[in-house]
């Protein structure tokens, strides 16, 4: 019963009337528990050969029916990393009726996702993401690997191509980055320390909304609040614990009694879709380029276009801001690295009388390396977005079975000593000889990739170039105008942000909420 109680605790109370639910769950629980009330322990027989095929190790303890669902705790990335250390680069988890394969070796991941891209590029179908958010699998992020998806992906790649970003979106990115720095400095002057989260959220939302719709917001704009609310609700519905029947079909009855599907449908029809329809209609009339107008050059249905735009807005909102948030934490902990990057920027400004553009990044090798090392040192997600296998694939002696959900274990992969020497050391210099854009590096040879945060193959993030332009531009603006310093307590003692314990928030890993000071410095431009 302990397992079922844990399960109930994971379902947010707003979706449940506990009084009604507990008896229902108790019946299903009794059925499940009756089947067996003991714990199974790991079959650690990995790498045994059977008919020339190595078996994939199954780590840790697991329960009948539930499998590993209660073994991952609140920091699944860390648990998985420990299992990789013990059992090797490929492990298998049983998540209810689903089989999850976790990989922390980039070359194995490459062989599965890239070399076998034709059958390793599907997505699992989480109920909310696929049925409701995706209006039955439309768009690109959660759509099945079909012809429609290929068309959508092709259109998105063309509107996010580096030369299009350079031509249409660099100026808005620059002006939003400048506004971000000004706000961070202004708020730091008002108080002892500022929590950058909301400022970064506004910045990333404005950057993507300018690109998508040609519009941007202030904090108190009611539409900004609506956008944030819609995004937050969507994330909450998309959380794994909302999708338990996909793992444990016995719990379908819980969804039925709690009316969860009706709530999801209602949210999409009465909140998400009307908002996006309004933004899309306005964007078509707004002067200047934007994603909506670019998509209009293709022949998508109204629903298809809406979901593609929603994918781009959701994908673009908190990814770069979390990357920047980690960069702030890291720079507080490594002031010498921060100084070195600022000196490099100052030297460029002294020579050129202006801030560097992204196209000039190789003149700032330390800054570029710092960006790459920051993403390696603190990846923004534990597992990226999973792929689903359409067929069996035979790789390095293992069979990755049809139907399995395959993840790259991002935390473990980026700290894998076989891939990065001294992986726990923050050492930007390791990338000084790899100054290619992250976009070029991600699409190049596996041995030449810098990091793996943007995923793999046909499903690789289509916005890498835009994301790194945003990251670079904000970093340069910030370091040219201020230093990032820890706050001090009443005794003048530094209070450094926590760098070691990320908070798992759905798809992303956030730093624990923190405050730092953005202290204005002599502007090298003046
Ligand atoms: C630091 C920033 C970012 C990171 C680390 C990141 C990471 C990722 C990852 C890991 C995936 C899944 C790849 C896979 O399945 O193998 C992905 C997909 C995606 N990303 Fe990003 N992303 C970032 C920024 C952005 C931005 C700025 C946008 C929009 C402008 C965006 C839009 C998307 C979309 C639409 C997909 C779905 C692609 C598909 O399924 O075909 N991302 N991203």
């Amino acid at each position: 019963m302990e397992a079922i109680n844990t399960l109930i605790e994971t379902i947010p109370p707003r979706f449940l009337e506990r009084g009604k639910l507990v008896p229902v769950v108790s019946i299903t629980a009794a059925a499940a528990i009756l089947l067996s009330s003991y714990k199974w322990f790991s079959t650690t027989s990995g790498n045994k050969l059977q008919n020339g095929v190595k078996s994939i190790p199954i780590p840790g303890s697991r329960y009948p029916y539930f499998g590993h669902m209660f073994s991952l705790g609140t920091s699944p990335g860390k648990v998985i990393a420990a299992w990789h250390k013990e059992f090797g680069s490929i492990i298998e988890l049983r998540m209810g009726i689903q089989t999850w394969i976790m990989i922390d070796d980039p070359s194995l991941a490459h062989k599965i996702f890239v070399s076998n891209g034709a059958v390793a590029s599907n997505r699992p179908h989480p109920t909310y993401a696929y049925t409701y958010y995706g209006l039955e699998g439309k768009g690109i992020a959660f759509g099945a690997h079909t012809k429609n998806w290929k068309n959508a992906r092709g259109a998105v790649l063309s509107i996010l191509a580096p030369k299009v970003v350079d031509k249409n979106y660099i100026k808005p990115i620059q002006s939003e980055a400048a506004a971000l720095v000004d706000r961070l400095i202004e708020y730091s002057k008002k108080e002892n320390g500022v929590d950058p989260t909301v400022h970064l959220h506004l910045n990333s939302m404005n950057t993507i909304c300018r690109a998508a719709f040609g519009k941007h917001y202030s904090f108190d704009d009611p539409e900004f609040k609506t956008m944030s609310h819609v995004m937050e609700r969507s994330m909450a519905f998309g959380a794994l614990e909302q999708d338990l029947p996909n793992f444990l079909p016995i719990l379908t009855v819980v969804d039925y009694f709690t009316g969860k599907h009706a709530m999801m449908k209602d949210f999409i029809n009465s909140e998400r879709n009307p908002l996006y329809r309004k933004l899309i209609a306005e964007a078509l009339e707004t002067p200047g380029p934007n994603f909506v107008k670019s998509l209009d050059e293709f022949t998508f249905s109204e629903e298809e276009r809406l979901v593609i735009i929603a994918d781009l807005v959701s994908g673009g909102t908190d990814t770069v801001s979390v990357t920047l948030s980690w960069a702030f934490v890291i720079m507080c902990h490594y002031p010498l690295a921060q100084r070195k990057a600022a000196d490099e920027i100052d030297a460029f400004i002294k020579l050129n009388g202006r801030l560097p553009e992204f196209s000039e990044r190789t003149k700032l090798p330390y800054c570029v390396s710092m960006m790459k090392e920051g993403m390696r040192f603190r990846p923004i997600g534990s597992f990226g977005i999973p792929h689903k296998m359409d067929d069996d694939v035979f790789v390095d002696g293992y069979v990755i079975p049809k139907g399995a959900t395959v993840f790259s274990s991002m935390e473990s992969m980026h700290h894998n000593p076989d891939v990065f020497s001294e992986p726990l050391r923050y050492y930007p210099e390791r990338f000084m000889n790899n100054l290619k854009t992250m976009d070029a590096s991600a699409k190049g040879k596996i041995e030449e990739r810098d990091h793996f945060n943007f995923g793999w193959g046909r499903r690789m993030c289509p916005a890498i170039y835009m994301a790194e332009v945003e990251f670079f531009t904000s970093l340069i603006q910030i370091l040219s105008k201020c230093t990032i310093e820890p706050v001090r307590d009443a005794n003048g003692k530094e209070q450094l942000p926590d760098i070691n314990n990320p908070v798992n928030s759905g798809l992303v890993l956030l730093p624990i909420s923190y405050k730092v000071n953005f202290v204005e410095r002599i502007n090298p431009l003046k």
Side-chain angles (χ1 to χ4, degrees), residues 123 140-141 149 152-162 165 291 308 311-312 315 385 439 443 454-467:
R123 292 276 192 227
I140 67 167
W149 171 83
R153 170 115 189 156
V156 164
L157 285 174
S158 79
I159 65 178
L160 289 170
V165 172
F291 291 168
I308 296 173
D311 280 342
L312 292 171
I385 307 181
D439 185 49
K443 290 167 186 162
F454 292 108
W456 305 93
R458 298 181 187 193
R459 286 283 182 170
M460 180 179 283
C461 179
I464 308 177
Y465 185 79
M466 180 162 173

Side-chain angles (χ1 to χ4, degrees), residues 88-345:
S89 277
I90 175 164
I91 54 177
E92 179 177 323
L93 306 187
R94 300 281 162 79
M95 300 292 282
I97 58 165
Q98 295 188 20
T99 298
W100 283 14
I101 308 279
M102 324 293 298
I103 312 283
D104 88 336
D105 169 10
S107 69
L108 182 55
H110 184 90
K111 285 179 201 162
I112 298 171
F113 296 128
V114 185
S115 312
N116 287 285
V119 292
S121 301
N122 218 331
R123 292 276 192 227
H125 286 183
T127 306
Y128 171 72
Y130 184 85
T131 307
Y132 298 108
Y133 168 95
L135 306 176
E136 303 293 343
K138 299 187 174 60
I140 67 167
F142 302 104
H145 187 216
T146 58
K147 194 161 171 270
N148 278 354
W149 171 83
K150 279 183 196 148
N151 289 341
R153 170 115 189 156
V156 164
L157 285 174
S158 79
I159 65 178
L160 289 170
K163 59 179 185 323
V164 180
V165 172
D166 285 347
K167 182 162 167 256
N168 294 343
Y169 305 119
I170 276 198
K171 290 275 173 278
I173 290 173
Q174 287 169 341
S175 75
E176 290 303 332
L180 169 71
V181 187
D182 291 346
R183 273 199 311 275
L184 292 172
I185 293 175
E186 183 197 327
Y187 278 79
S188 297
K189 280 180 186 160
K190 283 188 199 157
E191 296 155 28
N192 176 25
V194 50
D195 179 343
T197 313
V198 284
H199 301 281
L200 288 170
H201 175 65
L202 178 67
N203 166 257
S204 64
M205 180 86 91
N206 274 342
T207 305
I208 196 70
C209 284
R210 282 183 73 152
F213 311 114
K215 75 186 297 182
H216 77 149
Y217 303 108
S218 63
F219 270 130
D220 42 18
D221 190 320
E223 195 168 87
F224 169 64
K225 291 182 184 157
T226 311
M227 285 288 280
S228 302
H229 163 78
V230 164
M231 222 161 256
E232 208 176 295
R233 218 77 221 263
S234 209
M235 291 281 278
F237 277 130
L240 192 125
E241 67 262 23
Q242 298 300 331
D243 202 31
L244 291 176
N246 253 331
F247 298 86
L248 309 168
I250 203 169
L251 291 182
T252 307
V253 66
V254 176
D255 278 7
Y256 176 79
F257 278 99
T258 56
K260 197 190 285 173
H261 287 238
M263 274 190 268
M264 290 175 174
K265 192 171 175 186
D266 182 59
F267 163 70
I268 290 296
N269 288 338
S270 64
E271 296 191 58
R272 202 277 307 263
N273 288 356
L275 172 67
Y276 274 86
R277 285 200 184 104
K278 173 179 176 287
L279 289 167
I280 288 171
E282 286 171 2
L284 289 169
E285 303 301 322
T286 304
N290 60 48
F291 291 168
V292 173
K293 285 187 193 166
S294 303
L295 273 185
D296 224 34
E297 288 160 22
F298 299 83
T299 49
F300 292 115
S301 69
E302 191 248 328
E303 285 195 338
E304 191 79 55
R305 183 175 63 183
L306 188 152
V307 183
I308 296 173
I309 293 291
D311 280 342
L312 292 171
V313 173
S314 329
T317 297
D318 280 328
T319 39
V320 179
S321 59
V322 174
T323 310
L324 274 166
S325 188
W326 277 115
F328 298 161
V329 171
I330 293 169
M331 283 191 276
C332 267
H333 280 261
Y334 296 93
L336 290 180
Q338 183 181 169
R339 184 68 262 153
K340 211 167 162 182
D343 286 347
E344 200 176 63
I345 298 166

Side-chain angles (χ1 to χ4, degrees), residues 398-419:
Y398 300 103
V399 170
I400 316 295
K402 177 178 175 176
T405 304
V406 188
F407 292 79
S408 42
S409 307
M410 293 292 189
E411 279 177 276
S412 188
M413 187 176 283
H414 287 98
H415 292 168
N416 183 338
D418 297 335
V419 185

